[in-house]
Amino acid sequence: MLKWLPPYRVNLELHGGELGDFIKNSAYDLLISERFAEAFRTEGLIGLEGFHPVEVLRVRRMRKGLRKPVTVPRYFVVSTCFGPAAVDPVFNRMRISEPPSCPECRMSGIDAIHGFTLEPGTWRGEDIFRPRGLVGHLVVSERFKDFVERHGLTNVRLTPTEQFVRDPSHLGPAPLPTP
């Protein structure tokens, strides 16, 4: 995947009544509102890099109905860090068709996820990050969860790792490891 380079310009789709504070733009880039960015910096959270201003060229309404004017917040593009945190290869509920080919990135053929945990000693305290072995997904700290709730940030859905499910083929959870 190519890196997004300046100038940072976007067309947004509005699916509800208001634009959110958090928008997943691509596999690696996120758009965050100015309100989100200021609170993140003020509270000293870690895990986001960049904070480059974005020009919103157009907002397209995806639902018909009331045509009230949309307030477009100022957005910044950020990237989430790739830290050393890794999905625990033993204590997880993932169905894997191919073992990891690289011991560093730990990417494998994941067919289904019914909860996961991080390998002890690999997480260094980032508040938002992409774990090795599950790079396409974001993981956040309890501190980040509290931050989102405290500031009432919108368009952020958080799921505890042990309850996270992605099972497009309906394979069900992997068997629990035997101790």
Side-chain angles (χ1 to χ4, degrees):
M1 181 170 234
L2 297 175
K3 183 172 175 53
W4 190 16
L5 299 173
Y8 301 108
R9 296 182 180 132
V10 295
N11 292 315
L12 299 177
E13 293 180 350
L14 177 61
H15 292 269
E18 301 287 329
L19 290 167
D21 290 305
F22 182 91
I23 301 171
K24 189 169 181 183
N25 187 50
S26 71
Y28 300 111
D29 297 314
L30 307 169
L31 298 181
I32 60 172
S33 67
E34 184 171 34
R35 179 172 90 95
F36 185 120
E38 286 176 3
F40 189 89
R41 289 178 179 149
T42 299
E43 293 203 18
L45 274 67
I46 57 173
L48 295 178
E49 303 164 339
F51 296 89
H52 303 292
V54 172
E55 180 183 359
V56 177
L57 300 174
R58 178 179 175 216
V59 176
R60 182 173 169 223
R61 288 184 182 274
M62 302 308 289
R63 287 186 3 196
K64 294 182 178 168
L66 298 174
R67 291 288 180 189
K68 71 176 189 168
V70 174
T71 303
V72 180
R74 187 168 176 216
Y75 282 103
F76 294 89
V77 62
V78 293
S79 300
T80 18
C81 72
F82 289 96
V87 172
D88 192 313
V90 177
F91 295 103
N92 67 56
R93 301 294 308 269
M94 301 164 94
R95 287 194 178 269
I96 298 173
S97 57
E98 298 174 29
S101 58
C102 170
E104 184 59 32
C105 72
R106 296 191 182 184
M107 287 307 297
S108 60
I110 299 172
D111 297 324
I113 303 169
H114 283 265
F116 66 94
T117 60
L118 295 178
E119 186 176 313
T122 61
W123 178 54
R124 288 192 289 193
E126 299 89 351
D127 293 299
I128 182 169
F129 59 96
R130 297 180 187 277
R132 294 182 298 141
L134 204 58
V135 176
H137 299 283
L138 296 173
V139 176
V140 302
S141 66
E142 240 352 92
R143 186 171 113 153
F144 186 90
K145 179 188 90 60
D146 295 342
F147 160 77
V148 167
E149 291 170 356
R150 195 169 43 259
H151 291 279
L153 298 172
T154 59
N155 206 37
V156 180
R157 185 180 63 197
L158 302 174
T159 304
T161 58
E162 63 275 4
Q163 295 174 13
F164 178 78
V165 174
R166 188 186 138 277
D167 190 355
S169 299
H170 308 288
L171 300 172
L176 288 170
T178 53

